[in-house]
Amino acid sequence: EGTGMCFLLVDDEPALRLALARSLTARGHMVDLAATHQEAVTAALGTHYDLLLLDINLPDATGWDVLRDLEAAGRSLPTVVFSAVPPSAQRVREFRPMGVLTKPFPIDALLRFVDRIQEGKPV
């Protein structure tokens, strides 16, 4: 078992946020939580994260806006995005997330992505 990774988990649904955070921390990872675009950008600019777990539909903007703002600030993070609506091919090409999960997804699907990323394997 290697050391855990540090995640920023961005989702406006408290139940999902907590369930995902609980699963990740149980595996030895550190997880910071954000519920909005503003919280996500502030956290990501202030802390080093290994991986951004990002919901596309946020109350104050989109996950794409989070990625755009981080890029503008010179910060790029490996990202797994999730959304109830599959993102357009254009958005995936533009932002090149390491993974895309369609809600509702089994937590195991996210944990598999995390394991592969931690092992340095392609997702």
Side-chain angles (χ1 to χ4, degrees):
E1 243 342 80
T3 54
M5 295 167 63
C6 191
F7 298 105
L8 177 58
L9 170 59
V10 184
D11 196 299
D12 61 327
E13 294 174 46
L16 179 62
R17 214 171 40 234
L18 289 173
L20 294 175
R22 202 172 287 131
S23 294
L24 291 164
T25 53
R27 292 176 145 224
H29 301 297
M30 294 237 335
V31 182
D32 285 347
L33 302 175
T36 65
H37 161 269
Q38 191 55 58
E39 288 175 11
V41 170
T42 301
L45 292 177
T47 305
H48 170 78
Y49 295 102
D50 299 307
L51 188 64
L52 175 59
L53 304 172
L54 181 62
D55 185 20
I56 295 303
N57 298 309
L58 299 171
D60 53 345
T62 69
W64 306 123
D65 293 318
V66 171
L67 294 176
R68 206 171 278 123
D69 289 352
L70 292 178
E71 208 170 276
R75 207 61 198 270
S76 75
L77 271 171
T79 304
V80 172
V81 297
F82 34 92
S83 175
V85 179
S88 70
Q90 177 191 344
R91 285 279 184 250
V92 172
R93 272 195 311 274
E94 181 181 353
F95 293 101
R96 297 182 304 285
M98 295 186 79
V100 177
L101 291 168
T102 303
K103 288 179 168 182
F105 55 84
I107 288 178
D108 283 354
L110 177 63
L111 296 176
R112 277 195 301 275
F113 270 133
V114 167
D115 288 346
R116 293 187 72 82
I117 290 165
Q118 193 173 16
E119 292 162 12
K121 293 179 179 160
V123 177

